[in-house]
């Protein structure tokens, strides 16, 4: 079940990777105003990757041009490969080459500076929600889904741990697996 986010907002952590101190402070304050816990900030691609692996934030807000040997696009590719944590690029660079490179690492969002609180909040919320939906859909695909017929003839869709298509499962087994099925006679996968 997807959470409504308002009651769980304070639990969401966002790592900020930005090498300009004033901009990093502005991003952190903006995130805190919207109820996020800020992890970081950090100023290099290498530290962004390391902190993401160590802290496991819910998302990363990443500038593309960072201090150090690598840039934010390189860091985002490593983060995707090692953790799968979503990255929102927040950058002043919107040229074709930079956007193409960012697109190729299959990250979740791209916001061009200057930004305001509302834009940052909306972009981050959409990314987190889409990732939550993706995770929920992946979990649902792992579990076979079937239709249970109740005594009243109503079809109820629900999952069951059996993976044999066409199998008829008796009421007792369904009830043991899912308390949801009161009044179910048979379950067909």
């Amino acid at each position: 079940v997807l959470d409504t986010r308002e009651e769980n907002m304070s639990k969401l952590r966002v790592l900020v990777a930005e090498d300009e101190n004033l901009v990093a402070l502005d991003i952190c304050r903006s995130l805190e105003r919207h109820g996020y816990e800020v992890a970081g900030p950090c100023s290099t691609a290498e530290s962004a990757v390391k902190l993401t692996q160590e802290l496991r934030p819910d998302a990363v807000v990443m500038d593309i041009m960072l201090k150090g040997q690598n840039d934010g696009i390189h860091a985002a590719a490593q983060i995707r490969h090692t953790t799968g944590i979503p990255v929102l690029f927040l950058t002043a660079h919107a040229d074709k080459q930079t956007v193409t490179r960012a697109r190729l690492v299959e990250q979740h969002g791209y916001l061009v500076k200057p930004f305001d609180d509302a834009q940052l909040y909306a972009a981050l919320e959409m990314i987190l929600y889409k990732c939550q939906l993706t995770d929920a859909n992946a979990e649902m695909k792992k579990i076979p889904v079937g239709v249970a017929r109740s005594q009243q003839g109503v079809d109820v869709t629900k999952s069951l741990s059996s993976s044999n298509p066409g199998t008829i499962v008796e009421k007792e087994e369904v009830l043991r697996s899912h308390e949801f099925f009161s009044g179910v006679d048979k379950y067909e996968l």
Side-chain angles (χ1 to χ4, degrees), residues 120-133:
L120 177 60
Y121 172 74
L124 194 54
E125 278 298 299
M126 293 305 296
I127 289 167
L128 290 168
Y129 182 72
K130 284 181 181 180
C131 288
Q132 193 176 21
L133 283 177

Side-chain angles (χ1 to χ4, degrees), residues 148-154 171 175 179-186:
R149 291 205 187 277
S150 71
Q151 292 171 341
Q152 295 80 24
V154 176
K171 177 181 179 179
L175 292 175
E179 294 177 21
F180 174 80
F181 291 105
S182 59
V184 172
D185 295 321
K186 293 186 180 213

Side-chain angles (χ1 to χ4, degrees), residues 6 9 30 34 36 116-126:
E6 274 78 32
M9 183 72 74
S30 176
H34 287 287
Y36 295 103
D116 62 35
D117 276 8
Q119 292 168 327
L120 177 60
Y121 172 74
L124 194 54
E125 278 298 299
M126 293 305 296

Side-chain angles (χ1 to χ4, degrees), residues 10-160:
S10 64
K11 297 179 185 178
L12 295 175
R13 290 188 311 157
V14 179
L15 176 69
V16 176
E18 170 61 61
D19 64 343
E20 294 181 39
N21 290 336
L22 290 176
V23 176
L25 183 61
D26 193 31
I27 294 168
C28 291
R29 286 182 178 162
S30 176
L31 293 171
E32 288 170 347
R33 276 192 297 273
H34 287 287
Y36 295 103
E37 179 184 334
V38 175
C42 59
S43 62
T44 68
E46 295 78 15
S47 62
V49 172
K50 183 179 178 189
L51 285 173
T52 301
Q53 292 169 344
E54 290 174 3
L55 301 175
R56 306 298 284 193
D58 297 290
V60 178
V61 174
M62 176 94 63
D63 188 11
I64 288 181
M65 298 302 168
L66 294 171
K67 293 177 182 173
Q69 292 181 348
N70 298 310
D71 65 8
I73 295 173
H74 185 265
Q78 287 184 290
I79 289 168
R80 177 176 171 74
H81 177 71
T82 60
T83 67
I85 293 172
V87 173
L88 169 62
F89 289 119
L90 183 59
T91 182
H93 301 276
D95 59 277
K96 186 175 183 176
Q97 181 182 6
T98 303
V99 171
T100 300
R101 282 187 61 228
R103 187 182 71 217
L104 293 175
V105 299
E106 298 179 10
Q107 278 310 328
H108 295 81
Y110 198 103
L111 193 57
V112 179
K113 295 176 188 174
F115 68 94
D116 62 35
D117 276 8
Q119 292 168 327
L120 177 60
Y121 172 74
L124 194 54
E125 278 298 299
M126 293 305 296
I127 289 167
L128 290 168
Y129 182 72
K130 284 181 181 180
C131 288
Q132 193 176 21
L133 283 177
T134 301
D135 292 347
N137 287 337
E139 286 302 312
M140 290 299 290
K141 288 180 181 177
K142 292 179 185 177
I143 304 171
V145 175
V147 176
R149 291 205 187 277
S150 71
Q151 292 171 341
Q152 295 80 24
V154 176
D155 289 345
V156 181
T157 302
K158 192 69 178 176
S159 60
L160 187 65

